[in-house]
Amino acid sequence: MTVISIPGATRMRLTVRGRRIVAALAALPAAVALSLVVFGGGSALASRDTGAPSGSFATLTVTPGDSLWSIAEQVAPGADPRDVVDAIVRLNALDGVTLSAGQQLSIPAEYTPSP
């Protein structure tokens, strides 16, 4: 094996401080990208202010004694009630499962009978 050496050249050695500076400079692009994601990524989150398009759901009025489960079985008898309840909760942005009589619920169009 042949070794090529350059006369007068010395090997460069970094001090501890120099290694820290090189590591910080190498990590700088990742830190900038991460901060952009953390501070700018919140705008991509859905909010309760924006709703679904008007043709993508039907409305139903809750009657006394209704529960999300009974409504799910009523509007989509062939579907899994857990999936229907989840879709209703997400579409209406419900915090819990408590319903009150007279409350208007939006039902996803996929579970409403077609005209």
Side-chain angles (χ1 to χ4, degrees), residues 30-43:
V32 169
L34 182 62
S35 66
L36 288 175
V37 168
V38 168
F39 294 118
S43 63

Side-chain angles (χ1 to χ4, degrees), residues 3-4 11 15 20 22 27 33 43 48-49 62 69 75 79 84 90 103 110 114:
V3 176
I4 300 174
R11 185 172 171 211
T15 62
R20 287 181 182 159
V22 169
S43 63
R48 290 186 178 194
D49 297 335
V62 177
W69 191 270
V75 298
V84 181
R90 283 187 288 118
Q103 181 178 357
E110 62 189 277
S114 57

Side-chain angles (χ1 to χ4, degrees), residues 84-110:
V84 181
V85 167
D86 181 57
I88 293 171
V89 167
R90 283 187 288 118
L91 180 61
N92 292 282
L94 298 175
D95 288 328
V97 295
T98 307
L99 300 176
S100 55
Q103 181 178 357
Q104 294 286 320
L105 283 181
S106 299
I107 307 297
E110 62 189 277

Side-chain angles (χ1 to χ4, degrees), residues 6 8-14:
I6 301 172
T10 59
R11 185 172 171 211
M12 186 171 114
R13 293 185 182 202
L14 289 175

